[in-house]
Amino acid sequence: MASSSRSAAIGQSSTESILKQPREVWAVFFACIIAFMGLGLVDPILPAIAESLNASQSEVTLLFTSYNAVMAAAMLITGAVSSRIGIKWTLLTGVVFIALFSGFGGVSDGIWTLVGLRAGWGLGNALFVATALTAIVTLSRSSTAKAIILYEAAIGLGISVGPLLGGWLGGISWRGPFLGVATLMLVAFIGISALMPKSGGRSSARQKTSLLDPFRALRHRPLLVFGITAMLYNFGFFSLLAYAPFVMHLDEHGLGLVFLGWGILLAVTSVFMAPKLQQRFGTIKSMCAMLLMFGLVLLAMGIWTSTQWVVIAAVIIAGAWLGNNNTLITTAVMNAAPVERSTASAAYSFLRFIGGAIAPYLAGKLAELYNPHVPFIVGAAFVLVSVLYIGMSYSRVKHVDRVQSAH
């Protein structure tokens, strides 16, 4: 009864301001900011970890690979878990896992131990991230598109603030950002516990979700197309994120400032620019344009890898194309197939993070086997292939623009 009345309220108030949200939405929003600060907090200290733990660049990139590989696999169980224990307890479980594994990472002494702990962190992040998107979209008083913008805004804020804090903490010790994430996630735990009512747990789960549901969802060709597109462009995304710190030759503070600029552009474009592109040109055409621009930026990084200012400028500019694309593709996924949003998110994220798992280690290995230019050129090639793929599949996905207009 409560669920149906909430659904009616959402339908009636889709034109309301994005800021008029119930308190449980804001609880998840602020927890998302803290969760995604974890990504930016760690990035500025990758070279310092390599030096402190006597690890190679490819070994350090495994911190992203183990994290994303476990996230990809765990995405398949998030729907089943949340439909049984509820949104609130799934979020809290994810937060606890992140806090524990990041805290243990901060006191570890070996690269392989740290890689293993990052895998546990990935499990926590999978439970939290997939459920957070579903929670915001389900509980929001705004339309699906506005709810997704709110979610992307939280991601952008977290990613933009994280590197600044990570650079500052990393300047003290590489362990600082790991311990910082653990502390911040404890704050998120308190916030969700206090602000999300118990009814926020099962109200959106009308029936238990099967572990096979995400695979069944991928039978819908549009959802499969967006998942493969994301997998391909994530090769470029994580080549930049995991390997760029090694070629900029900056200290922790410098890397923090560069990724701060990257994150600010990502946040601003995801909230303010992406909706305008969507309205004027449509989701698919805008997405292809953003991916094309991102591929060209990576190609520039691959050509002028030895020119420091070019790499720094390219990393910051890439934030704009990625911010736009993240909002566009997430919105498209939510409207791609007639399945539960949590199931669609899990299926899409499974494919997306496969690319995120392979790319970091591949980038490090390519640099060791060949030279520092190759990881960015290969990443650019994958992104450009994603543009070709979605262009070839346009007839199967163009309906998302009609669905978006109806909302």
Side-chain angles (χ1 to χ4, degrees):
M1 186 74 176
S3 178
S4 56
S5 61
R6 177 180 280 115
S7 299
I10 292 172
Q12 293 169 0
S13 58
S14 61
T15 58
E16 283 189 13
S17 167
I18 195 173
L19 299 178
K20 293 182 179 179
Q21 305 291 349
R23 66 177 188 172
E24 53 262 43
V25 170
W26 290 118
V28 178
F29 176 84
F30 287 114
C32 279
I33 293 175
I34 296 172
F36 280 96
M37 282 177 69
L39 183 63
L41 276 166
V42 173
D43 210 54
I45 59 169
L46 292 178
I49 292 174
E51 182 178 351
S52 299
L53 299 182
N54 296 315
S56 67
Q57 292 179 357
S58 61
E59 287 173 342
V60 172
T61 58
L62 284 172
L63 294 175
F64 283 99
T65 292
S66 64
Y67 175 83
N68 285 325
V70 172
M71 274 195 76
M75 284 295 176
L76 299 173
I77 68 169
T78 54
V81 172
S82 64
S83 68
R84 284 163 174 77
I85 69 175
I87 288 177
K88 179 176 181 177
W89 287 107
T90 305
L91 290 172
L92 290 175
T93 301
V95 166
V96 168
F97 272 56
I98 295 170
L100 285 175
F101 285 105
S102 59
F104 286 134
V107 296
S108 63
D109 292 314
I111 186 62
W112 297 110
T113 302
L114 200 55
V115 168
L117 290 169
R118 277 284 284 179
W121 188 341
L123 173 60
N125 226 49
L127 290 171
F128 180 84
V129 169
T131 312
L133 174 59
T134 304
I136 289 178
V137 171
T138 302
L139 301 173
S140 173
R141 290 179 182 150
S142 305
S143 65
T144 298
K146 287 183 179 179
I148 289 171
I149 290 170
L150 197 65
Y151 173 76
E152 294 294 341
I155 293 176
L157 286 170
I159 288 177
S160 61
V161 175
L164 191 63
L165 186 58
W168 177 69
L169 292 173
I172 300 171
S173 168
W174 69 263
R175 301 177 187 277
F178 285 89
L179 299 174
V181 169
T183 303
L184 289 169
M185 291 315 290
L186 290 177
V187 176
F189 182 90
I190 295 170
I192 294 174
S193 299
L195 295 177
M196 278 195 77
K198 292 181 180 179
S199 60
R202 294 184 181 272
S203 61
S204 63
R206 296 177 182 175
Q207 58 184 10
K208 292 182 179 180
T209 301
S210 166
L211 291 173
L212 296 176
D213 283 353
F215 292 105
R216 295 190 185 107
L218 290 175
R219 293 175 185 171
H220 296 281
R221 189 58 183 270
L223 189 59
L224 180 63
V225 168
F226 289 128
I228 292 174
T229 299
M231 179 177 67
L232 291 169
Y233 102 79
N234 259 4
F235 273 89
F237 180 94
F238 279 97
S239 294
L240 180 148
L241 204 61
Y243 192 68
F246 292 106
V247 300
M248 284 189 277
H249 305 295
L250 297 171
D251 63 12
E252 292 84 355
H253 297 287
L255 289 172
L257 289 172
V258 170
F259 281 99
L260 171 66
W262 173 81
I264 289 173
L265 274 183
L266 188 147
V268 170
T269 54
S270 66
V271 175
F272 298 107
M273 188 174 175
K276 295 185 184 300
L277 290 172
Q278 201 169 43
Q279 291 171 7
R280 183 163 183 178
F281 302 107
T283 303
I284 307 303
K285 292 179 181 178
S286 299
M287 191 188 308
C288 288
M290 294 303 104
L291 289 173
L292 179 61
M293 297 302 293
F294 177 48
L296 293 176
V297 165
L298 282 173
L299 188 59
M301 292 175 68
I303 295 171
W304 292 287
T305 310
S306 302
T307 307
Q308 186 185 48
W309 74 265
V310 172
V311 176
I312 291 172
V315 168
I316 295 172
I317 292 169
W321 314 133
L322 291 168
N324 282 315
N325 188 67
N326 286 347
T327 296
L328 291 165
I329 198 167
T330 305
T331 305
V333 166
M334 291 293 101
N335 297 318
V339 297
E340 289 287 331
R341 289 181 179 128
S342 58
T343 302
S345 176
Y348 158 75
S349 296
F350 167 68
L351 291 176
R352 175 168 59 127
F353 285 110
I354 288 175
I358 299 171
Y361 183 70
L362 178 65
K365 268 301 177 186
L366 287 172
E368 289 174 2
L369 292 173
Y370 300 102
N371 58 67
H373 301 262
V374 177
F376 301 114
I377 294 173
V378 171
F382 274 104
V383 174
L384 295 175
V385 168
S386 76
V387 178
L388 293 175
Y389 176 70
I390 199 167
M392 292 168 59
S393 306
Y394 180 71
S395 62
R396 298 181 180 273
V397 297
K398 62 182 180 180
H399 71 283
V400 299
D401 284 319
R402 295 195 298 272
V403 175
Q404 179 61 30
S405 299
H407 288 185

